[in-house]
Each structure stands twice: as structure tokens, then as C-alpha cells.
Amino acid sequence: MKVKRFFAADMRQAMKLVRDELGADASIIANRRVAGGVELTAALDYEAPRLTAPTPCLDAELKKTQERIVAARAELEVGEMASHDQPLVNRQLFGDSMRHAARQGSVEARDLLDRLIQEPVEPAAPAAASRPAAERSPAAAAVEDASLSAMRAELAGLREMLESQLGGLAWGQLNQHKPKQAGLWRRLTQMGLPAEVSQDLLRQVSDVSDPRQAWRMLLAYLAHRVPVLREEPLDAGGVIALVGPTGAGKTTTLGKLAARYVLKHGSQHVALVTMDTYRIGAHEQLRTLGRILNVPVKVVDEQQDLNDVLADFAGKRLVLIDTAGLQANDPYLRGQLDTLASQGRRVRNLLVLPATSQHRVMKAAYHTYKACGLSGCILTKVDEAATLGESLGLAMEQGLPVAYLADGQRIPDDISRAVGHQLVSRAVSMAGNDAPADQTMADVFAGMMNSQRAS
């Protein structure tokens, strides 16, 4: 028998390691939560052990359990006797033999029975186990809490393992009974689309038998569902603020938009504003850009708030605002978002999202920055991303229109307006030809089950 331990970030990855090394016939004989993930102990050619001799601790626990069972049965029998108008007699003093003697006419047994019936019945003392939680000692409470935590962790690990197994079964059944639909599932997953979005799209072509026609229809539905801004924000003018996490490319994107506007309308109608007083040198970066484009730049700080700065630039057709990228729990970020939200429709906020991020990371950024009121988003670093489906999936799930696509560092060349069918075409070309493996698809189905359970 071969036994080995496996460590991974979650149960699905651990199960994959077990399958890859020991094969599908391996048995999981133990699992537990550890720092940084889970630990599985797996064995090949494993036979379940036979029952071993009980340990002294186990004997004591079994004895206590048996005593509780006997006591419970005695209480039930007493209750049954009371319900049938029978005398409440202590069975320890008046057992079966004495009862039989009384029925046979024994005078002594009958006298004893009469005395026991006349004896007042005292309520039983409450068991120690039924004492309220406040009377328990801190040590006992700590042990109980630790046991509950360990039990919850073990149940969570078992649930993840079960979801992984069920995901593999669901994918296997779909691949066997509906291979054409399974092939479409693979292609959508290859594009990076979230499972829920793929499932909704596949419902639209469930009656189409030809895979090629179904694929063309899927892409058409996808192009129609991706929300985009119909009017270019630069042409509409006004005040535009770029918000987003650290490293998303807000300042570079602002430079591209400013240069794009200057080339089309001239430098006299545009101004730049920065609210980033957090990063060292952030002001100088924007001032350098302003000198190159010959446009004015102002800083929002303690001396001038946003209202004052916008009042100074009231005669400009376009004002672009750069903001600081901070952690979600940073109090300065909350103040910055409140300031932008207080402007109402006067300021249009565009969320800058790097396409290199995972779907859940982008989703978390959306929920952080939606407090200021988002009008759309700009997808950056598309040239560095492996897929585009995660970004498009977020836009569809949250109804967040895509305004621009940035795919390089060149100012102002590497930015373009977002158009639905062009976004889908770009996503297909980025997907490549390597279809996801069966294990990847099983993980997708397991993730769907997890999401359904959470919702």
C-alpha cells in the first residue's frame, strides 16, 4: 500500500494532485485544514481497517452513554405508567419479582407497594449536561469552541471534496450524452467567460443541432449582450474621473485620453486634475504630461477642494481627473469616493480595470468603487492578458458599459473605443487553440455548484 500526503490551497486542487499522482483508484483516508490550505492523506490499494479493541477512554464514554440510555428509558417507562394511571414506583425498590409477588397475593409485597405509592415523588436533579452555558467553566467553553471549529473545518473540507466529485460527474455525463454542447462549453470556458454567463448563452442555442451554426449564434448573442457606451465620452465632454485599484493604469490611460482630445480639438479646451496626494511624485507625473500637451494641471488638496478646482476650470469643455489607487479598507479611499459621489451627475466616473486580473479580483474592485456611482469602465493591459472573457463577463454581470480598450503603453495610440462585435472578436482571437482539460471543466462545474449553494 502506498500512502502520501498532499498540500494545496483548496480541496479541488488537492484532489487533482491526488488523481495526477496516484490515479483515480486512490482512496482519501484523512483530510484537515492547515495554514495556507488543506492537507489530504491518500493511499493506493487501501483496505479499510477492521474494528480494533476499544481504548480505555472509549470504554468510559461508552459506559456513560449506556447509563444515559438506561436513565432515559426509565423516565419513559415512568411516563408511560403515569399516562395509564399506574402507580409511580421506584423500580429499584420495587422490581419485577416484587411486582409479580404482589400480583400473586403476597401481603408483604402489597404492603410495600402501598407505602411506595403514598411516598411523595421528588423531582430528579437536573443533569450536569443541562446546565446553562453561563455556568460552564472557561476551559470547558474553550474546548467546546475548539471542537466546533474543528468540526466545521472538517465539514467544509468534505463539502469541497464532494463538490469536486459531483462536478466531475456532471461534466462526464454532459460530455457523454451531449458532446456537441460539451464542445461549446469548452470553447466558452477557453475564452475565459464565467460559468454563469456561459450557461445563459448555451440556453439560447439548446435547440440548434449544427455546432458551427450554434457557435456563430453564441458569438452573436455575446456581442449583443456586452454593454458598451454608445457615445464616446470625450466627444460628450464634461468632467470625467478615472477610478480603480493600484496599478490599473489610470494615469497612463488619462494621458492617452488627454492626448487623443488635444489632437482632435486642441489644447485650449482641456484641463487635468489629480486627487492623488498619496503617491510620492504623482503630481509631477501629471504636471509633466500637462507641459507636453500644453494643458493646465491642478491638485486637489487641503488648500483647494474638488469644488474649487472645478470652478476654476468651468470654461473648459473637458476636465479629466486622476485619482489615487488604494486598498479597499483605506479610509482615504472612502473619503475620495464620497467626494466624487457628492458631485452627482456633474462628474462621470469610469472604472479602470486591468484585463490581467482574475474575475473575482475585478468583481471585488467593482463592489469597492461602485460607491461613487460608475458610468462605465475602461479595460487596460489587454495586450498582457491571456483571455478577455473575465472582463467581459464582469461587464455583463454588473451591467457596466465598456467605454475604451487599452492595449499598450504608447500615448495616444494604444487606446480605442469599445465596440461589441470587436470585443468578442478580440476575445476569440486571444483564446487560442488549446481546449481546457476535463479536470478544468470539472472544476468549472464544481464552482457552479458552490455558487448555487452560496446563493
Side-chain angles (χ1 to χ4, degrees):
M1 181 178 68
K2 182 179 180 182
V3 180
K4 188 172 182 180
R5 290 182 179 178
F6 297 87
F7 299 90
D10 54 42
M11 187 62 68
R12 283 191 287 273
Q13 295 181 24
M15 291 292 293
K16 185 177 184 302
L17 293 175
V18 173
R19 279 191 293 266
D20 291 344
E21 182 154 344
L22 299 181
D25 295 331
S27 301
I28 305 299
I29 58 177
N31 74 89
R32 64 175 183 139
R33 292 276 180 177
V34 295
V38 295
E39 174 189 302
L40 286 185
T41 303
L44 196 60
D45 300 329
Y46 174 74
E47 294 183 0
R50 297 182 180 273
L51 293 176
T52 58
T55 61
C57 294
L58 183 58
D59 283 337
E61 291 296 326
L62 288 174
K63 187 175 181 181
K64 291 179 182 179
T65 304
Q66 290 171 355
E67 291 174 354
R68 294 192 188 103
I69 294 173
V70 171
R73 285 180 177 175
E75 292 176 2
L76 287 175
E77 290 177 358
V78 169
E80 291 174 358
M81 291 172 63
S83 64
H84 291 86
D85 296 329
Q86 294 183 358
L88 298 176
V89 180
N90 190 324
R91 294 184 59 132
Q92 183 178 4
L93 297 178
F94 195 79
D96 292 337
S97 59
M98 189 68 73
R99 189 185 302 276
H100 179 71
R103 286 198 298 266
Q104 295 295 327
S106 172
V107 178
E108 292 81 2
R110 174 55 59 184
D111 291 340
L112 179 58
L113 176 60
D114 293 338
R115 288 197 300 272
L116 288 174
I117 292 174
Q118 295 172 5
E119 191 75 18
V121 179
E122 296 182 0
S130 63
R131 286 183 299 176
E135 298 181 9
R136 291 179 298 170
S137 65
V143 171
E144 183 176 348
D145 292 342
S147 300
L148 288 175
S149 299
M151 186 182 300
R152 291 192 188 100
E154 185 174 358
L155 288 176
L158 292 174
R159 185 175 60 239
E160 289 184 12
M161 184 165 54
L162 181 60
E163 287 173 353
S164 178
Q165 296 287 347
L166 292 177
L169 290 174
W171 167 248
Q173 291 179 356
L174 179 67
N175 202 18
Q176 181 179 0
H177 299 294
K178 297 180 180 179
K180 295 179 181 178
Q181 189 177 12
L184 296 175
W185 258 110
R186 284 187 192 272
R187 298 185 72 174
L188 292 175
T189 303
Q190 189 176 355
M191 291 172 61
L193 289 173
E196 291 76 11
V197 174
S198 299
Q199 191 175 29
D200 291 340
L201 290 172
L202 286 168
R203 290 195 187 103
Q204 305 294 327
V205 297
S206 58
D207 298 332
V208 181
S209 58
D210 184 10
R212 294 184 179 181
Q213 182 183 0
W215 179 244
R216 289 193 295 267
M217 292 178 64
L218 278 177
L219 297 182
Y221 282 125
L222 183 58
H224 180 72
R225 284 191 56 183
V226 175
V228 295
L229 288 179
R230 302 301 177 186
E231 183 182 12
E232 184 174 2
L234 293 183
D235 292 340
V239 182
I240 299 175
L242 303 186
V243 299
T246 304
K250 295 185 294 296
T251 305
T252 302
T253 302
L254 184 139
K256 294 176 182 179
L257 294 177
R260 185 184 179 104
Y261 189 89
V262 168
L263 291 177
K264 189 174 183 179
H265 302 286
S267 61
Q268 67 273 18
H269 300 299
V270 62
L272 304 180
V273 176
T274 178
M275 297 177 66
D276 189 357
T277 58
Y278 191 82
R279 288 185 303 147
I280 299 176
H283 303 168
E284 291 304 319
Q285 186 178 1
L286 204 63
R287 292 186 190 279
T288 301
L289 180 63
R291 286 194 296 269
I292 295 173
L293 297 178
N294 193 28
V295 297
V297 178
K298 286 198 172 185
V299 179
V300 175
D301 52 20
E302 292 81 2
Q303 285 75 33
Q304 278 189 316
D305 61 14
L306 183 59
N307 289 321
D308 296 334
V309 172
L310 293 181
D312 293 341
F313 289 146
K316 300 293 184 181
R317 294 180 185 174
L318 177 68
V319 179
L320 296 173
I321 303 176
D322 189 21
T323 61
L326 302 168
Q327 297 293 332
N329 56 355
D330 195 312
Y332 183 84
L333 175 62
R334 178 55 54 190
Q336 180 178 262
L337 296 180
D338 290 342
T339 300
L340 292 173
S342 65
Q343 300 296 321
R345 296 186 178 181
R346 184 184 182 186
V347 177
R348 286 177 294 164
N349 302 303
L350 298 180
L351 177 61
V352 181
L353 289 173
T356 52
S357 298
Q358 296 177 345
H359 179 263
R360 61 182 179 181
V361 176
M362 288 187 284
K363 190 174 182 179
Y366 167 78
H367 285 292
T368 298
Y369 288 92
K370 71 177 181 180
C372 66
L374 298 174
S375 300
C377 67
I378 300 175
L379 303 181
T380 61
K381 302 184 180 182
V382 177
D383 55 317
E384 303 175 18
T387 60
L388 195 58
E390 289 88 351
S391 307
L392 301 183
L394 176 72
M396 288 185 285
E397 289 173 348
Q398 308 300 335
L400 186 65
V402 184
Y404 294 99
L405 208 68
D407 55 357
Q409 295 293 325
R410 295 179 300 171
I411 298 177
D413 299 327
D414 295 332
I415 192 169
S416 58
R417 281 192 62 193
V419 182
H421 68 274
Q422 293 179 359
L423 290 174
V424 174
S425 178
R426 183 71 176 268
V428 173
S429 64
M430 291 172 62
N433 298 319
D434 296 332
D438 287 333
Q439 183 57 46
T440 301
M441 298 305 301
D443 291 342
V444 169
F445 276 66
M448 289 174 57
M449 294 179 181
N450 187 24
S451 299
Q452 292 171 359
R453 177 181 55 80
S455 60

